[in-house]
Amino acid sequence: MIKNAASYKGKTKNSSTQQHRTRYKWCIATALLLWLLATVLIIVTQKTQPGDELPKPVPESIPPDASQDLTLSLDQENEVPAEDAPWYLTLVNRQNPIPEDYEVNLVKVEGGEKVDERIYEPLMEMLEAAREGNLGQLPMVVSGYRTQKKQQQLYDDKIAKYRRQGYSKEEARKLAEQLVAVPGYSEHQLGFAVDINGATYDVYLWLQENSYKYGFIFRYPGSKTEITGTAEEVWHYRYVGPEAAAEIYEQGLCLEEYLEAVSEQL
């Protein structure tokens, strides 16, 4: 009897130990499963959580006078029709060529460059006022009106330069258009866009802050490159008249944005 009791106790102890081991394994398996489910839930929640979208890539800056196929954000259908816009608001950019049969009456400015006679007085007033910020020297117009022939020459010369450096015809053309506007699509062919040189860089800062008082605008600010299609040109100023210039300056617009806003009011 004692032997049988001992044998029974041994069996009972082994059975109990096996049951504990089985329960332990189930507990471990259950814990692992719950951990896996919790991990998946956290990942899904993080991916769908509002406000955690990846930042949009910043567009690269566009070099001056790059490909004329560049698409502007301006809705071309909403532009002010050419026949309705006053002469000083004529839009010329990569999508808008010089108007057909365009004519201009020119006058020389100091230095020999020519401009539309209608902008001569406000231009000279602006340059005289800029003397103080230019070490007492009159800022110079280094590029004013350009004929189609002149623009074509600049364009062809630039292409030839890159061809001599070993670039293919297509490569040379693309490189040239980074520096020279395609003939027929340059504001300089209007007669009321000018490139200005100063004795110091400070003159450009003065022009940016004061040119609107004389009817001119800083035509190509870097912050508007996506719209104008042209990288910043601190030397390039364009006459748009005192009223438009003031609104463009005060509202931080470029010419394309201003004309779009005007067209929406018509």
Side-chain angles (χ1 to χ4, degrees):
M1 291 297 294
I2 294 174
K3 183 179 180 180
N4 290 336
S7 176
Y8 176 77
K9 288 179 180 179
K11 290 181 179 179
T12 302
K13 184 177 181 180
N14 290 337
S15 176
S16 176
T17 301
Q18 186 174 1
Q19 288 178 359
H20 280 300
R21 288 176 178 174
T22 301
R23 289 175 183 173
Y24 180 76
K25 290 179 180 179
W26 274 106
C27 289
I28 294 298
T30 302
L32 288 173
L33 180 60
L34 290 174
W35 176 83
L36 180 61
L37 290 174
T39 301
V40 172
L41 181 60
I42 291 172
I43 293 174
V44 172
T45 303
Q46 288 179 340
K47 286 186 176 182
T48 57
Q49 191 172 15
D52 288 341
E53 295 86 355
L54 291 175
K56 296 181 180 179
V58 178
E60 296 180 357
S61 62
I62 304 169
D65 296 314
S67 173
Q68 57 182 319
D69 294 330
L70 179 71
T71 301
L72 302 182
S73 63
L74 176 65
D75 183 354
Q76 298 295 335
E77 295 181 357
N78 287 334
E79 290 177 7
V80 178
E83 62 272 17
D84 294 337
W87 63 270
Y88 48 82
L89 290 180
T90 302
L91 179 64
V92 172
N93 56 20
R94 300 178 191 282
Q95 285 70 36
N96 296 271
I98 297 294
E100 294 183 10
D101 303 322
Y102 183 77
E103 296 182 359
V104 57
N105 294 319
L106 300 171
V107 60
K108 280 188 178 182
V109 297
E110 188 168 338
E113 288 294 314
K114 296 180 180 179
V115 297
D116 187 309
E117 63 179 4
R118 293 170 292 188
I119 75 161
Y120 178 80
E121 288 188 11
L123 173 62
M124 296 311 297
E125 289 176 5
M126 180 175 73
L127 295 179
E128 285 290 347
R131 276 184 187 271
E132 186 176 349
N134 193 48
L135 299 179
Q137 301 177 31
L138 185 74
M140 299 297 295
V141 174
V142 294
S143 184
Y145 173 75
R146 295 176 189 166
T147 63
Q148 176 76 6
K149 182 179 179 180
K150 177 64 175 179
Q151 191 67 30
Q152 188 70 53
Q153 179 186 345
L154 293 172
Y155 182 72
D156 293 341
D157 288 349
K158 192 63 68 174
I159 291 177
K161 175 184 176 181
Y162 287 117
R163 290 284 282 159
R164 288 193 297 271
Q165 294 177 9
Y167 292 97
S168 68
K169 185 176 181 179
E170 183 62 18
E171 290 172 336
R173 181 189 66 81
K174 290 181 178 180
L175 288 170
E177 288 177 6
Q178 293 178 5
L179 300 172
V180 181
V182 175
Y185 291 81
S186 171
E187 265 197 347
H188 283 283
Q189 293 179 247
L190 287 172
F192 36 94
V194 293
D195 290 347
I196 299 172
N197 269 8
T200 70
Y201 191 87
D202 288 347
V203 72
Y204 300 123
L205 302 179
W206 186 94
L207 288 168
Q208 289 175 26
E209 293 299 320
N210 295 279
S211 61
Y212 76 93
K213 301 173 183 177
Y214 306 90
F216 288 84
I217 58 169
F218 175 28
R219 181 66 175 95
Y220 300 122
S223 60
K224 301 296 182 179
T225 294
E226 287 187 41
I227 301 173
T228 64
T230 301
E232 184 168 271
E233 292 187 359
V234 296
W235 54 83
H236 187 107
Y237 284 80
R238 150 75 192 261
Y239 187 80
V240 295
E243 181 179 348
E247 292 184 22
I248 288 172
Y249 173 80
E250 292 168 0
Q251 298 178 35
L253 305 174
C254 63
L255 182 57
E256 283 82 0
E257 290 175 312
Y258 174 77
L259 291 177
E260 182 177 16
V262 170
S263 68
E264 292 175 352
Q265 298 173 8
L266 296 180

